[in-house]
Amino acid sequence: MINKIYEKIKEYDKIVIARHIGADPDALGSSIGLKEIIENTFKKKKVSVIGVYSSKFKYMGKLDKLEEKDIKDSLLIVCDTPNLERIDGVDDITKFKEVIKIDHHPEIDKFGSISWVDDNKSSVCEMICDLTKKTDLKMTKSAAEKLFLGIVSDTGRFMYSSTDINTFKVVMELLKEFDIDFPSLYFDLYSRDLDEVRFEGYIKEHITVTKNGLAYIKITDRILNKFNVDSSSSGNIVSSLNNINEIKAWVFFTEDIKQGVIKVNVRSRGPEINKVLEKYNGGGHKYASGARIKDKKNINKIIKDLDLVCENYKE
Ligand code: AMP
């Protein structure tokens, strides 16, 4: 599989790399890191990495503007995206000559002439490290830093169960080969505004916990304004409710007036939650899932479904 991907990278002069909407450090680190690695290995290839720019992640590097001429006869590599609907910046994959999928989510849509999907992997950044190590692709320091950040972020600093010996091994090798200044990278990844920290305090104060161990909170636009934060802050905070004895799974419902949706961020430290979110046109991993819902009536339905999953869960 890895060699087939390498051969395709070698074959194409034009390569476009995409990832999921609502980018996070794993999506950005894998796509931008892979671009830098390919350019470092094959100096003449035109590699474009696409998707909506987010100033929050400006330290992860630049994105490219895609022109029609970049698409014609090109190879599309889609990182970290289980379904076609969530590929950022690509509405029709058939415009590309060939497609490769590299992902660590449980599979939703099968696509690509080569599909490397392994939902046991901690992150797609770890998969890009494996791809580079096992082929003639050449890593750069800048790519190594981005891949390091993606791995750290998607494993919750090596805390989640998807972290395994290979995860530590690839990180050890990145640190060994490149003089990575990780305290300064951690600053980029974890620094935040006081407003958001106060908002976190509000959430922790106001969350409801059911007798089955489901914690939930509904966050209105009025509350976001009160704390001077936006709906993306909920996603930055949701993981901080881990390791609380009384809570097995937790869900935030955040009003996003601009997009006209309610963002649903769900995490778990045992019960498998992704099937519930798939019912509501969302998805994700067993212990980290999400959805975007339009109908407010689905809030209580999701709470009920997740509460049942918690009730049925045996520790
Ligand atoms: P988040 O809570 O937004 O950090 O998302 C957690 C996980 O759920 C990520 O792996 C996302 O890929 C996945 N996810 C979030 N929103 C959606 C959605 N609307 N559809 C499918 N998967 C989603």
Side-chain angles (χ1 to χ4, degrees):
M1 179 72 73
I2 280 181
N3 279 323
K4 276 194 201 156
I5 295 176
Y6 174 74
E7 288 306 324
K8 287 292 167 195
I9 290 173
K10 206 163 132 187
E11 180 184 325
Y12 280 85
D13 293 333
K14 286 185 282 181
I15 299 172
V16 177
I17 307 175
R19 40 75 187 167
H20 65 74
I21 52 173
D24 55 24
D26 187 35
L28 289 165
S30 57
S31 53
I32 302 175
L34 181 59
K35 170 186 158 129
E36 292 179 3
I37 292 165
I38 297 172
E39 285 180 341
N40 187 42
T41 314
F42 303 101
K43 307 286 179 200
K44 288 188 180 147
K45 287 190 196 295
K46 169 93 197 297
V47 188
S48 313
V49 62
I50 58 164
V52 172
Y53 175 76
S54 152
S55 58
K56 183 181 155 207
F57 294 120
K58 60 176 184 286
Y59 57 87
M60 295 299 285
K62 291 205 180 91
L63 300 167
D64 301 300
K65 227 175 158 273
L66 200 58
E67 293 175 34
E68 274 311 308
K69 65 175 175 20
D70 303 321
I71 298 177
K72 196 173 176 297
D73 294 326
S74 72
L75 168 68
L76 173 69
I77 303 178
V78 181
C79 293
D80 202 27
T81 315
N83 48 342
L84 292 166
E85 203 189 332
R86 280 177 52 85
I87 305 176
D88 197 354
V90 178
D91 48 13
D92 178 8
I93 59 165
T94 63
K95 285 187 198 162
F96 299 84
K97 191 156 179 209
E98 211 170 340
V99 181
I100 293 177
K101 179 187 194 188
I102 305 179
D103 191 24
H104 75 133
H105 291 87
E107 183 135 279
I108 298 180
D109 293 334
K110 280 197 193 316
F111 62 86
S113 57
I114 302 176
S115 173
W116 180 25
V117 175
D118 186 347
D119 64 2
N120 291 314
K121 286 281 177 191
S122 73
S123 52
V124 177
C125 284
E126 182 182 331
M127 297 171 83
I128 301 299
C129 290
D130 290 338
L131 173 70
T132 310
K133 258 172 56 173
K134 292 180 182 158
T135 63
D136 288 337
L137 287 171
K138 293 185 188 76
M139 183 70 75
T140 66
K141 179 170 180 178
S142 162
E145 289 174 342
K146 292 175 176 80
L147 296 169
F148 174 83
L149 281 176
I151 295 172
V152 166
S153 169
D154 250 36
T155 60
R157 267 177 276 167
F158 310 104
M159 187 173 67
Y160 306 143
S161 58
S162 56
T163 307
D164 63 15
I165 291 169
N166 189 63
T167 319
F168 285 111
K169 204 167 158 208
V170 296
V171 167
M172 190 265 289
E173 285 162 0
L174 291 178
L175 295 177
K176 207 167 140 194
E177 190 174 347
F178 302 96
D179 188 20
I180 293 182
D181 175 15
F182 54 85
S184 80
L185 297 182
Y186 281 144
F187 183 80
D188 283 337
L189 195 58
Y190 294 116
S191 65
R192 50 211 296 236
D193 293 338
L194 185 56
D195 283 336
E196 192 175 284
V197 177
R198 292 206 161 109
F199 176 53
E200 182 174 336
Y202 170 86
I203 290 178
K204 288 179 171 166
E205 185 78 22
H206 290 85
I207 199 137
T208 304
V209 185
T210 70
K211 71 173 182 0
N212 295 318
L214 176 74
Y216 64 87
I217 187 163
K218 302 170 193 176
I219 302 156
T220 60
D221 186 57
R222 191 180 59 80
I223 293 295
L224 295 175
N225 289 334
K226 184 176 163 194
F227 285 93
N228 194 29
V229 294
D230 65 32
S231 63
S232 65
S233 288
S234 297
N236 301 337
I237 293 166
V238 67
S239 297
S240 74
L241 266 79
N242 206 354
N243 300 327
I244 299 174
N245 289 333
E246 292 81 358
I247 300 176
K248 291 183 203 159
W250 55 106
V251 51
F252 295 179
F253 298 93
T254 311
E255 200 171 18
D256 183 338
I257 292 269
K258 264 195 228 150
Q259 311 276 344
V261 293
I262 296 159
K263 284 188 178 173
V264 188
N265 301 96
V266 195
R267 297 292 184 271
S268 163
R269 58 179 187 83
E272 293 185 10
I273 50 177
N274 53 332
K275 293 276 175 291
V276 171
L277 281 305
E278 280 170 24
K279 251 177 81 179
Y280 298 90
N281 204 26
H285 305 277
K286 278 188 218 162
Y287 309 121
S289 298
R292 304 288 176 265
I293 55 171
K294 291 218 160 116
D295 187 351
K296 281 191 180 160
K297 283 191 205 125
N298 282 335
I299 295 181
N300 286 340
K301 287 185 186 163
I302 293 175
I303 293 173
K304 218 171 140 206
D305 287 352
L306 288 172
D307 196 45
L308 189 64
V309 168
C310 288
E311 187 182 358
N312 293 335
Y313 175 69
K314 305 267 173 292
E315 281 194 54

